[in-house]
């Protein structure tokens, strides 16, 4: 019924309304005042499509600013017929400006069992990123006393945010950590972290630890730098610097993880085509247990070239090729440049209508080691190894309605054939002076 004088519309029976594609309401009766944009419905079922949150109420009044639930209302985001959890309240309202629901005489149900009651219960329905306080951590420890950590979150734009987390440990000290995240494109992400923690003088002296802990962490990843339609590439870097390992151990007041004293920084890049793979990797280790990092062995860089399996003269005669270069360096101790060739050649055939696969393979591995940064009489080394490999396996596949499931079983036997060494061969973790 449309009243032209009052500018109102009334709907009767199975009323279905959608607003801005975001909210859906069903009712037996609804009326709309076109002048004030007010809505009245009973009994009403309302669903927020964005948050998958639904409410069933005896009667609802709504305008541009709020929705008022006048009588008994049930709220949940679970199955309509048998929700795992739900909230019932005698009356309440939703503030549309700050996406907050205020409920009175509230009962929280797990299935059909009431587990909690409160005269008032309020919560947000907004899942968008926005500036504000995150959940704090409060506790007590016999070692550290009263614990308090309060994250403060800043989200001024869609592609970056900042999080500050001050913390207080009653018997130990206080500090703060900061996290900065920035997505400069859809294929890349930058993460920066820094922190500082100041020990109480009494705790530092009693436990023989530094009076302060600080550090800096940088992570950056980016895909599709030089890649085309027929290739893939990616860069990943994770760089860390700190004055003491407790910089990381103190980061989480719950102390859920203890870090080892040797921290690894790495920068990786790979480029892959259908036939070839190439990668360059840098590894830098910071040993926080030592006053000097001069004896710590670094890998700067490792370069890897790989030729994927391909046929050699015949379809079932396959080969692949790996070339590696490793540059191990440190200020104090022996350094080494290692060149490695890995070349397997194999013939694969099958029995019993392809149910049993057999592969015979010859493997050649050769390494050349050039030493430097030493006054000792150390000769460059050469290591050559050959081996035979026999493997037997089967691949089983089964097709279901929507997925294809596969499982493989393999057994492999490797038989060393010969080994030839020339010069000095040292392990990478040998004593730097020995």
């Amino acid at each position: 019924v449309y009243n032209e004088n009052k500018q109102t519309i009334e709907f009767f029976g199975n009323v279905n309304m959608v607003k801005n594609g975001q909210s859906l309401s069903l009712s037996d009766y609804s009326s709309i005042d076109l002048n004030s944009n007010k809505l009245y419905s009973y009994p009403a079922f309302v669903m927020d499509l964005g948050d998958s949150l639904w409410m069933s109420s005896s009667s609802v009044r709504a305008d541009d600013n709020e929705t008022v639930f006048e009588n008994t209302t049930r709220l949940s985001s679970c199955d309509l017929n048998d929700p795992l959890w739900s909230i019932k309240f005698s009356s309440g309202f939703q503030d549309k400006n700050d996406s907050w629901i205020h409920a009175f005489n509230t009962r929280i149900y797990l299935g059909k069992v009431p587990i909690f009651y409160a005269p008032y219960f309020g919560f947000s329905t907004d899942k968008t990123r926005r500036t504000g306080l995150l959940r704090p951590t409060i506790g007590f420890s016999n070692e550290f006393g009263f614990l308090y950590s309060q994250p403060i979150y800043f989200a001024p734009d869609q592609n970056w945010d900042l999080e500050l987390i001050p913390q207080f440990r009653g018997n130990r000290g206080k500090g703060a950590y900061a996290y900065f995240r920035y997505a400069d494109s859809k294929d890349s992400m930058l993460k920066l972290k820094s922190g500082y923690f100041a020990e109480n003088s009494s705790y530092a002296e009693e436990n023989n630890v530094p009076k302060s802990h600080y550090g800096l962490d940088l992570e950056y990843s980016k895909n599709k730098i030089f890649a085309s339609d027929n290739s893939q590439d990616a860069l990943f870097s994770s760089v860390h610097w700190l004055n003491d390992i407790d910089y990381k151990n103190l980061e989480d007041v719950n102390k859920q993880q203890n870090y080892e004293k040797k921290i690894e920084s790495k920068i990786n890049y790979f480029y892959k085509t259908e036939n070839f793979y190439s990668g360059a990797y840098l590894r830098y280790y910071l040993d926080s247990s030592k006053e000097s990092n001069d004896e710590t062995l670094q890998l700067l860089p490792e370069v890897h070239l790989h030729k994927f399996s391909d046929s050699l003269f015949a379809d079932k005669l396959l080969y692949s090729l790996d070339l590696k270069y490793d540059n191990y360096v440190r200020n104090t101790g022996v350094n080494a440049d290692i060149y490695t060739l890995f070349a397997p050649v194999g013939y694969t055939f099958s029995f019993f209508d392809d149910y049993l696969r057999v592969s015979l393979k010859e493997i050649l591995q050769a390494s050349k080691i050039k030493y430097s940064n030493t006054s000792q009489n150390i000769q460059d080394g050469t290591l050559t190894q050959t081996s035979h490999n026999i493997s037997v396996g089967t691949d089983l596949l089964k097709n279901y309605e929507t997925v294809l499931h596969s499982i493989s079983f393999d057994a492999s036997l490797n038989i060393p054939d010969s080994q030839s060494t020339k010069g000095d061969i040292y392990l990478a973790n040998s004593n730097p002076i020995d």
Side-chain angles (χ1 to χ4, degrees):
V1 176
Y2 173 47
N3 189 316
E4 296 186 26
N5 296 326
K6 294 182 178 180
Q7 288 291 292
T8 60
I9 307 177
E10 293 181 287
F11 303 91
F12 303 89
N14 195 25
V15 185
N16 184 342
M17 290 186 288
V18 179
K19 183 177 181 180
N20 298 329
Q22 293 296 316
S23 62
L24 167 72
S25 62
L26 307 173
S27 63
D28 289 339
Y29 169 83
S30 293
S31 64
I32 300 176
D33 188 328
L34 300 180
N35 292 318
S36 60
N37 205 25
K38 291 182 177 180
L39 167 71
Y40 174 70
S41 299
Y42 73 85
F45 174 85
V46 182
M47 172 169 278
D48 187 325
L49 300 178
D51 293 335
S52 299
L53 192 70
W54 58 263
M55 288 163 280
S56 177
S57 181
S58 300
S59 60
V60 173
R61 295 185 184 273
D63 57 26
D64 293 334
N65 296 317
E66 67 177 12
T67 300
V68 179
F69 306 97
E70 295 184 320
N71 294 301
T72 302
T73 301
R74 190 181 191 186
L75 175 151
S76 181
S77 63
C78 297
D79 180 75
L80 292 173
N81 297 319
D82 188 20
L84 178 64
W85 68 268
S86 61
I87 299 175
K88 290 184 180 180
F89 49 93
S90 59
S91 62
F93 66 95
Q94 179 182 16
D95 191 322
K96 296 180 179 179
N97 295 320
D98 61 4
S99 300
W100 193 271
I101 289 182
H102 305 264
F104 304 95
N105 192 26
T106 309
R107 291 92 67 203
I108 297 179
Y109 286 79
L110 189 61
K112 297 181 180 180
V113 181
I115 61 172
F116 179 77
Y117 170 82
Y120 168 80
F121 189 77
F123 58 94
S124 174
T125 61
D126 189 357
K127 293 184 178 180
T128 59
R129 296 167 64 250
R130 53 178 176 168
T131 299
L133 298 178
L134 301 182
R135 182 180 62 190
T137 301
I138 303 173
F140 180 82
S141 164
N142 290 331
E143 181 181 1
F144 303 138
F146 177 70
L147 303 174
Y148 180 74
S149 173
Q150 176 60 69
I152 308 168
Y153 184 64
F154 300 91
D157 209 340
Q158 287 296 312
N159 67 331
W160 71 274
D161 56 33
L162 175 66
E163 188 176 349
L164 299 177
I165 309 180
Q167 60 167 278
F168 173 80
R169 300 171 184 248
N171 295 341
R172 184 161 186 178
K174 52 187 176 293
Y177 286 79
Y179 303 86
F180 175 78
R181 293 169 284 260
Y182 174 61
D184 57 322
S185 72
K186 67 176 183 178
D187 297 311
S188 58
M189 173 65 74
L190 170 67
K191 297 180 182 180
L192 281 173
K193 180 186 74 177
S194 185
Y196 180 87
F197 189 91
E199 302 278 10
N200 294 336
S201 298
S202 58
Y203 184 92
E205 294 175 2
E206 181 180 346
N207 293 274
N208 193 26
V209 296
K211 292 184 178 181
S212 60
H213 315 279
Y214 47 88
L216 179 66
D217 302 89
L218 182 149
E219 285 191 8
Y220 183 73
S221 60
K222 185 175 180 62
N223 298 328
K224 302 179 182 178
I225 302 174
F226 304 110
S228 61
D229 293 338
N230 299 319
S231 62
Q232 291 178 280
D233 75 334
L235 170 71
F236 175 77
S237 58
S238 177
V239 181
H240 311 278
W241 175 85
L242 48 82
N243 77 317
D244 182 75
I245 196 61
D246 272 342
Y247 159 73
K248 286 189 169 291
N249 292 329
L250 289 166
E251 181 179 355
D252 183 6
V253 295
N254 295 311
K255 201 177 181 181
Q256 295 177 349
Q257 181 175 359
N258 280 326
Y259 290 86
E260 296 184 2
K261 293 188 176 183
K262 184 176 287 188
I263 302 299
E264 179 191 58
S265 295
K266 55 188 174 182
I267 300 177
N268 297 341
Y269 175 78
F270 82 89
Y271 186 89
K272 182 174 90 67
T273 64
E274 184 177 348
N275 298 315
F276 294 95
Y277 170 93
S278 60
Y281 326 107
L282 291 90
R283 296 287 186 274
Y284 184 85
Y285 298 93
L286 179 62
D287 194 339
S288 63
S289 65
K290 299 179 179 179
E291 294 184 1
S292 172
N293 208 47
D294 288 346
E295 294 183 359
T296 304
L297 199 63
Q298 317 296 346
L299 181 56
L300 303 172
E302 174 188 343
V303 179
H304 183 199
L305 301 176
H306 175 71
K307 172 67 174 71
F308 291 117
S309 295
D310 201 355
S311 58
L312 182 67
F313 307 125
D315 290 341
K316 294 184 179 182
L317 184 62
L318 301 177
Y319 81 99
S320 64
L321 195 64
D322 283 273
L323 292 172
K324 284 182 61 181
Y325 166 68
D326 299 308
N327 180 34
Y328 290 97
V329 297
R330 54 189 159 191
N331 292 332
T332 303
V334 181
N335 295 349
D337 295 294
I338 304 178
Y339 305 85
T340 303
L341 167 69
F342 184 79
V345 178
Y347 186 78
T348 302
F349 50 95
S350 59
F351 297 99
F352 309 118
D353 197 20
D354 291 336
Y355 271 92
L356 182 64
R357 180 187 67 255
V358 179
S359 178
L360 306 177
K361 190 178 296 183
E362 290 290 315
I363 301 173
L364 168 65
Q365 182 173 347
S367 298
K368 176 67 176 179
I369 308 172
K370 298 183 68 176
Y371 298 103
S372 60
N373 198 42
T374 178
S375 59
Q376 302 179 55
N377 185 22
I378 299 179
Q379 296 182 356
D380 293 343
T382 301
L383 173 64
T384 304
Q385 301 176 88
T386 60
S387 60
H388 314 297
N389 183 273
I390 304 172
S391 63
V392 179
T394 184
D395 300 309
L396 304 178
L397 295 90
K398 186 173 183 179
N399 190 20
Y400 293 88
E401 290 184 2
T402 58
V403 296
L404 178 67
H405 183 266
S406 66
I407 187 170
S408 299
F409 297 95
D410 286 279
S412 181
L413 174 64
N414 196 70
I415 306 171
D417 181 31
S418 64
Q419 176 174 296
S420 173
T421 62
K422 182 180 179 181
D424 295 313
I425 306 296
Y426 286 85
L427 296 175
N429 60 351
S430 296
N431 188 304
I433 306 300
D434 188 351

